[in-house]
Amino acid sequence: MAITELIVSEVMRNIRREALKLLQLIMAQVSVEKVTPFFSALQWNLNCAMTHINPKIQEDSLLLFDILLEASPSLVASGASHILPNFLNMISKLRAESQLDRTLTVNLQSKLTTVKWRIQVLTRLRYFLGAIVAQERRRLKGPESTGCRNLRWGEEGASNVTLFNPAYGELCVLPDLFRRSEGPAAGVDEIQGYVKQLMPLLFDTWLEVGPGKEAEGRQEKVGLNEEALDLLKCISQIIYLLWDYIHLWEQKTKNETLVRLVLSYL
């Protein structure tokens, strides 16, 4: 879509912001069924914006994410395997290409402080995990109507053609959300890899803003500033949603591997 292409392009920031406002108005008036055929293009532009080298475009990508998540949370959740890694890349980088270990990055090229930037990114990750968990709960309850629209003609509607088939109405197994490779164990490996990267980052993020060891010996109460409280809220809710998602995985597969993995960090 031409509007989302403006958000990814190197135009003036006020033009990108106006494009976001226009997209928000359009998405508010269009049903999910009508968005579905074009959502792959929207997701592609979202991925480009979230991974853009320009930090200002990365900041605006979070606003684009907000618009898409509010308008069609089920469609956004279906693209988790492509979107989830972007959140990690926005606040960290791999120590080595062949390993899963990550280190936090510092946000030097933005007016936002590093802590505020991490709060913004982790807040969106929390919303995203919430949408994924909600979608999986609906899927575990059983299949729903796909919402397909059929055009019928002829005697008693004997001839018909499906105009489009929304992907959000189709059943899929939980690991498919994270799957990038093939094979029966690919989904488990993808989820394990994401958990192993995310959990240490959450703890490292908190250690940078927490009271620290120097406060342990003090008798007086040590307060937290507003940023630290917001960050703690994000981290705790992300861990809760991650646990909730893995609990759904356990119910579906009767496999406790991921549950034991999360417990090892707590």
Side-chain angles (χ1 to χ4, degrees), residues 16-31:
R16 291 199 302 272
R17 292 297 175 90
E18 292 301 319
L20 284 166
K21 291 179 182 179
L22 178 58
L23 179 63
Q24 187 174 23
L25 290 174
I26 294 174
M27 296 295 287
Q29 301 298 322
V30 180
S31 64

Side-chain angles (χ1 to χ4, degrees), residues 7 22 29 33 42 83 103 125 145 177 195 198 220 222 230 254:
I7 301 169
L22 178 58
Q29 301 298 322
E33 291 86 353
L42 292 171
I83 298 175
T103 180
L125 176 58
S145 173
L177 291 174
V195 171
L198 177 60
E220 68 273 12
V222 179
D230 289 340
K254 309 302 180 182

Side-chain angles (χ1 to χ4, degrees), residues 107-238:
N107 194 30
L108 297 176
Q109 301 179 347
S110 173
K111 294 181 179 179
L112 292 174
T113 64
T114 299
V115 176
K116 287 183 178 180
W117 171 244
R118 291 172 184 170
I119 291 173
Q120 288 193 10
V121 173
L122 292 177
T123 297
R124 269 58 174 216
L125 176 58
R126 172 167 59 92
Y127 294 155
F128 192 32
L129 290 175
I132 293 173
V133 170
Q135 177 173 276
E136 296 314 316
R137 287 190 183 280
R138 290 193 298 270
R139 284 173 172 164
L140 286 176
K141 289 179 180 179
E144 298 179 359
S145 173
T146 60
C148 299
R149 295 187 177 185
N150 293 329
L151 180 63
R152 297 180 177 272
W153 69 92
E155 295 182 2
E156 298 181 357
S159 301
N160 68 88
V161 61
T162 302
L163 298 182
F164 51 83
N165 183 10
Y168 65 85
E170 299 175 357
L171 286 173
C172 75
V173 296
L174 292 178
D176 285 345
L177 291 174
F178 295 85
R179 181 169 297 169
R180 292 193 173 199
S181 56
E182 300 296 332
V188 181
D189 294 339
E190 296 289 350
I191 301 175
Q192 284 182 332
Y194 194 79
V195 171
K196 288 179 179 179
Q197 292 181 78
L198 177 60
M199 294 296 286
L201 284 179
L202 295 178
F203 295 138
D204 290 345
T205 302
W206 170 245
L207 288 176
E208 289 192 6
V209 300
K213 291 184 178 181
E214 65 277 2
E216 293 181 0
R218 299 179 186 175
Q219 294 182 352
E220 68 273 12
K221 295 182 179 179
V222 179
L224 296 175
N225 57 38
E226 185 176 352
E227 286 186 350
L229 288 173
D230 289 340
L231 189 59
L232 180 59
K233 178 181 178 181
C234 284
I235 292 173
S236 59
Q237 290 183 342
I238 287 172

Side-chain angles (χ1 to χ4, degrees), residues 78-89:
S78 67
S81 62
H82 301 285
I83 298 175
L84 278 171
N86 294 338
F87 289 108
L88 296 183
N89 293 329

Side-chain angles (χ1 to χ4, degrees), residues 5-40:
E5 290 175 2
L6 277 177
I7 301 169
V8 183
S9 61
E10 294 277 357
V11 296
M12 296 179 63
R13 191 168 197 180
N14 59 340
I15 297 179
R16 291 199 302 272
R17 292 297 175 90
E18 292 301 319
L20 284 166
K21 291 179 182 179
L22 178 58
L23 179 63
Q24 187 174 23
L25 290 174
I26 294 174
M27 296 295 287
Q29 301 298 322
V30 180
S31 64
V32 177
E33 291 86 353
K34 294 181 179 179
V35 172
T36 302
F38 309 99
F39 192 76
S40 60

